[in-house]
């Protein structure tokens, strides 16, 4: 399909939307554009920090846990932003008018995993670690249950 045909179809779909749906579509597209700017800036910063801060300065020591924490924390931040953008695009494409719960749970899991990776275990109490573990287990269970429900729905259809 050519780009002209895709734009023509998008315009036709847009004409069928109500005023509120058009507003909602505009908001989603605006948020998507903002997230793209954030992802590009985060990726640029990540590249500069890895290149100049670690590689060229000779600070790239794989056994240095703080360097590992910083780099993978930044990488997970970019991944979280990309997942968030993807969930907004699902809404923009009109496949679903509500952000899918599976996507929200995935973003929450990624955020908590990022927190665990950048966590300084020497300064964190056991209760805090237990709370993070409980949150990961609860969100993992929810994600699994949603997957089971989706598979059962596909089989029934």
């Amino acid at each position: 399909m050519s780009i002209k045909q895709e734009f023509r179809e998008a315009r036709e779909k847009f004409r069928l939307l109500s005023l509120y749906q058009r507003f909602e579509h505009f908001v989603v597209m605006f948020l998507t554009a903002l997230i793209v700017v954030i992802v590009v800036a985060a990726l640029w910063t990540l590249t500069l920090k890895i290149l100049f801060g670690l590689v060229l300065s000779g600070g790239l020591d794989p056994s240095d846990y703080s360097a590992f924490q910083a780099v993978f924390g930044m990488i997970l931040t970019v991944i979280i932003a990309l997942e968030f953008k993807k969930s907004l695009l699902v809404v923009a494409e009109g496949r679903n008018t509500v952000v899918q719960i599976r996507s929200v749970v995935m973003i929450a899991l990624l955020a908590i995993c990022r927190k665990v990776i950048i966590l300084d275990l020497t300064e964190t109490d056991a209760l805090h670690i237990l709370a993070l573990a409980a949150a990961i287990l609860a969100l993992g269970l929810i994600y699994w249950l949603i997957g089971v429900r989706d598979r059962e729905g596909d089989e029934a259809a």
Side-chain angles (χ1 to χ4, degrees):
M1 181 181 287
S2 72
I3 293 176
K4 285 184 180 181
Q5 289 174 330
E6 288 183 31
F7 277 128
R8 192 175 306 122
E9 286 181 13
R11 268 188 267 131
E12 290 300 320
K13 287 180 184 177
F14 192 74
R15 286 184 189 138
L16 298 174
L17 297 177
S18 69
L19 180 62
Y20 180 76
Q21 289 171 325
R22 288 179 184 183
F23 170 74
E24 190 177 68
H25 186 76
F26 173 76
V27 169
V28 167
M29 295 311 290
F30 185 75
L31 288 173
T32 301
L34 288 177
I35 291 172
V36 167
V37 170
I38 291 169
V39 167
V40 169
L43 195 58
W44 178 253
T45 303
L46 174 64
T47 303
L48 291 178
K49 284 188 179 188
I50 289 175
L51 186 62
F52 294 115
L54 296 175
V55 176
L56 296 179
S57 70
L60 184 62
D61 180 13
S63 64
D64 182 19
Y65 186 69
S66 62
F68 173 82
Q69 284 178 311
V71 169
F72 283 99
M74 290 185 287
I75 289 171
L76 279 172
T77 300
V78 173
I79 292 171
I80 290 167
L82 287 173
E83 186 66 31
F84 187 68
K85 183 192 69 66
K86 186 175 110 179
S87 70
L88 285 175
L89 287 178
V90 168
V91 173
E93 290 174 0
R95 285 188 265 162
N96 197 344
T97 56
V98 180
V99 177
Q100 293 181 350
I101 189 69
R102 176 179 247 174
S103 183
V104 172
V105 171
M106 175 60 72
I107 293 168
L109 273 169
L110 286 170
I112 293 175
C113 288
R114 179 192 176 276
K115 177 70 175 171
V116 169
I117 287 175
I118 64 170
L119 195 65
D120 185 5
L121 294 176
T122 60
E123 296 181 10
T124 306
D125 62 339
L127 194 56
H128 192 99
I129 294 171
L130 181 64
L132 288 173
I136 290 171
L137 284 173
L139 288 169
L141 179 64
I142 291 169
Y143 190 81
W144 178 75
L145 288 172
I146 292 169
V148 167
R149 186 199 65 181
D150 288 347
R151 283 189 295 278
E152 287 175 356
D154 289 344
E155 291 172 0

